[in-house]
Amino acid sequence: MYSRLIISSIMALMLGAPCKVFAQPPVPDSLSVDLEEVTVKATPVIRKSDRDVYMPSAATKERSGGGLALLNNMQMPGVGINTFMKEIKVNGETPELRINNRRTTIEKVMALDPANIARVELITNPGVRYGKVPAVINIIVRNPDSGGFMKISGEQALSDFNFGNYDGAVSLNHGYSQFDINGYYSIRKNFHPTRLYNERFLLSDGHSVTRALTDTLGHAEMLWANINTAYSYSRPDKINIYTSFGFDRNFESYYYEGRTKADENMSGYTDQSFNPVSTPQLHFYMDYNLGRKQTLIFDADGSLGLGRSNRLNREETLPQHETLVSVNNRIRSRNAGLALEGMYMKEWDASRFTAGVRYNLARNREEYNTGEKSVFHQRKDVETIFSEYMHRLGKITLRGGVSGEFWHSEYVENGKSTNDFMFTPDFTFNWDLGSGSNLTLNYSSYSTTPSLTETSVVTQQIDAYQVQRGNPDLKPFTTYGLKLSYGWSIPRFAVNLSARWSRSPGAIMEYNGYTPEGMIFNTWANSTGYTHYFIDFSPRITVVPGLLTINGTVSFRHYRNHGPNYMLISNSIYAEGTAQLTHKNFTLSIYAKKSSRNLWGQTQTRYEDFHMMNLSYRYRNFEFIATWLNPIGEYRGQEIEKRGPIAWSKNRFCTPVARTVSVGFNYKIDWGRKRNGIDRKANTSSGVEQTKAAGK
C-alpha cells in the first residue's frame, strides 16, 4: 500500500508539474561545423541560434543499451520517450529523426552504439531545409576506423497477450570504411481489443437512424519487421559516402464480431481488415568538401511499396441470419517513389548560406476489386527550390529562408491533371539573453499535397448507409505558423516555454453529402480553414544529482475547424512525464502519458493513455530489463468521436494490456575500436503511399 502511494505521488508530480534536468557539462566537439557562437559555460547545454546541443556523459553512455535508451537516459527537456512502445515525442508531436543529418528510423536509432554518439541536437524551429516537420532530433555519430560492434536485444510479455520486440546490429570498421547490418522484429498476437460504437445517421429524407454496436469477439495481430545493410566511406575533410539497402514488412489484421441494435431491431455483424505491406528501399548519399567552408551534397532515395488492403463488413438479421449488407473492399497496390536532392552550403565566421533543389516523384497503381475490377493510376511530381541565410549580430541571430514548390498530379484513366505552385517563406529571430536563457520568434510555412486515399476516384461502400469516394479536384494547401519560445537552464534545472499558433486555409477536410440513391456520401474537400493554438511548458529538474531526475511536458491545446458545412471548437490537455532513479548498476524509470483530444475535420481523436514502470540492471556487457504496463489505475484505450450527418463515437480498449509484465535483455560488445567521425548534412525520403480499403 505504501509503495503504491509513492508511485502515485511520483506520477502525479510528473503529470501535474513535470520537470527536466540536463546531462553533464558539454565538452568541445572538433567535428562541429556549426557557426561559432557564444556558449553558456555554466550550463550543460549549448544553446545555439537554431538548435540546442546536448553532450551525453560517459556514465550515461555506459548504462545505455542502444541509441534509443541513450536518448531516454539523457532526459532532454520537452522530449518524451516511451521505450516499451518505441515512440519519441517533442512537446507531444512526432519529430523527424536523423543520424548525422540524414533522415533515419527509430529502428536504426536503436541499433546505434552509444559509445559512438558524440552529441545530440534538438531542433524545435526547423527551417525550409527540413520541410514540414515540427521538430528534428539529429544524432551525431563518430564512426571508428577499426574494430567492430555487436548488439542483440529482446523483450517478451509474460501473459496471454503475446508481445515481443527483438533487434540486433553488427558494425565492422576498416580504415575509412564501415559495414553495417541491423534488423528489427516486433509482433503482437493474442491481442483481443473491444470496441463500443454509438452511431447516428441523418438520412437524406430527414429521418435518422441510431445504432449501438458492441463487440462480442475481437482479435488483432500486428507484425513489423525490417532488415537493413549499409556501407559508408568517411574522410570528413574531403568526402563522405553512405549507401544502404533495406526491406520492411508490415502486417496488421483485425477481426470483430458483435451485435448491432438499430432503434428496436437487433442484428449481428462481422468487421474484418487485412493490410500487409512490403517495402524495399535503396538510399545513396554523398557530400564533398570544396574547401573554404564550402560543401556540395547529393542525396537519393528510392522505394517500392507492394501492398494489399482488404476490408470486409457483413450484417445479418438475428436470429434468422439473413444477409442485410455484405461489403468486401479489396485493393492491391504497387507504388514507387523516388526522391533526389542537391544542395550547396557556404559558411563564414558569423553566417551561413544554403541553397538546393529537390525532386519527388511518385508512380502509383491501385487495383480495386469492389464489385467490378478497376485499375487506377496516379502520377505525382513535386519540384522544390529553396534557399536559406543565417547571420549573427552580437547576441542576435537572424535566419531567413524561402521555398518554391511546383506540384503536378495526373490521373491516367480520366486524363485529368492538376498543377499548382506554392511559395513558403520562413523567418527566425533569436536573442541570447545571457545567464543560460534565450528568446526565439519563428514564422514558418509549408505546403501539403493530397494523399492517394483522398484523391482516389473509386467508390467504396462502407456499410448499409455509407459510401466513400475521393476527390480528384483537391488542391494542395499551405500552413502558416508563428511560435514564440523561451528557454532557460542552470546546472540542475531547465525549462522551455512556448506559445504556438498555426493556420491552414484550404486544409483538406472530410465532407459529407448524399448520393442520388440516398446514401451518405463521404469524401474530402478544401475547407475554409483550420486553426490551432498550443501553449507548451517543459521543465526538467535534477532532484538529487546522479540519483533522481524528473522530466516532462504539459501542453494546452485549442482547435478551431471551419469545414465545408460545419464549425467545430475543441480544447484539450496533453501531459507526459518521466521520473528516473539511478543507483550503481540499477535504473528505475516511471513513465506516464495523458493524451490530448486532437480535432481534424469532423473527427476528434484521443489516443490511449499509458503508464509503465521499467527496472533495468547492467552487469558488464549484459542488461536485464523488467517492465510493468499500467500498474495502477484503469487502462484507457483509444476514443474517437465524429460529428455531422454521420455522428458516431468509438471507444477501443484491451483490458489484458493493463498490468502486463514483460522481461528482456540487452547484450552489446565492441572490439578494437578507434574513434573517427562523419557528418551528413542532407536528407531525402521517397515516401511511398498506400491506399487503404474504406471502413469504419
Side-chain angles (χ1 to χ4, degrees), residues 378-381 407-411 416-419 455:
Q378 184 187 42
R379 300 173 179 173
K380 290 202 298 185
D381 298 270
W407 179 75
H408 170 79
S409 179
E410 181 180 353
Y411 306 91
K416 183 179 179 60
S417 63
T418 306
N419 299 290
T455 55

Side-chain angles (χ1 to χ4, degrees), residues 12 87 164 190 231 234 258 347 385 389 420 608 647 649:
E87 294 178 346
N190 298 326
Y231 167 77
S234 172
E347 297 176 272
I385 301 176
Y389 180 73
D420 281 280
E608 65 180 0
S649 64

Side-chain angles (χ1 to χ4, degrees), residues 382-424:
V382 181
E383 295 93 17
T384 305
I385 301 176
F386 64 93
S387 65
E388 182 179 86
Y389 180 73
M390 178 188 291
H391 189 76
R392 190 180 73 254
L393 300 169
K395 293 182 176 295
I396 294 176
T397 302
L398 302 175
R399 186 191 73 196
V402 64
S403 174
E405 182 177 284
F406 177 76
W407 179 75
H408 170 79
S409 179
E410 181 180 353
Y411 306 91
V412 176
E413 276 64 40
N414 59 11
K416 183 179 179 60
S417 63
T418 306
N419 299 290
D420 281 280
F421 179 79
M422 316 292 286
F423 179 78
T424 54

Side-chain angles (χ1 to χ4, degrees), residues 533-589:
Y533 304 85
F534 287 5
I535 298 177
D536 305 311
F537 178 65
S538 303
R540 173 179 116 170
I541 186 171
T542 303
V543 181
V544 180
L547 183 65
L548 178 61
T549 301
I550 299 178
N551 165 33
T553 294
V554 175
S555 177
F556 171 76
R557 303 180 175 188
H558 174 78
Y559 301 90
R560 288 179 174 268
N561 204 350
H562 195 174
N565 56 357
Y566 55 86
M567 175 65 181
L568 299 174
I569 297 176
S570 176
N571 295 313
S572 186
I573 296 289
Y574 175 91
E576 183 177 37
T578 302
Q580 189 172 86
L581 181 68
T582 59
H583 179 65
K584 294 184 178 180
N585 293 336
F586 288 92
T587 300
L588 174 65
S589 295

Side-chain angles (χ1 to χ4, degrees), residues 109 214 537:
V109 171
T214 304
F537 178 65

Side-chain angles (χ1 to χ4, degrees), residues 585-598:
N585 293 336
F586 288 92
T587 300
L588 174 65
S589 295
I590 301 176
Y591 169 87
K593 180 182 71 173
K594 179 187 181 300
S595 295
S596 61
R597 295 181 179 274
N598 302 324

Side-chain angles (χ1 to χ4, degrees), residues 151-172:
K151 168 189 178 294
I152 57 173
S153 63
E155 187 174 23
Q156 182 65 48
L158 303 179
S159 68
D160 293 336
F161 168 42
N162 185 2
F163 165 92
N165 283 331
Y166 306 92
D167 66 276
V170 177
S171 294
L172 300 174

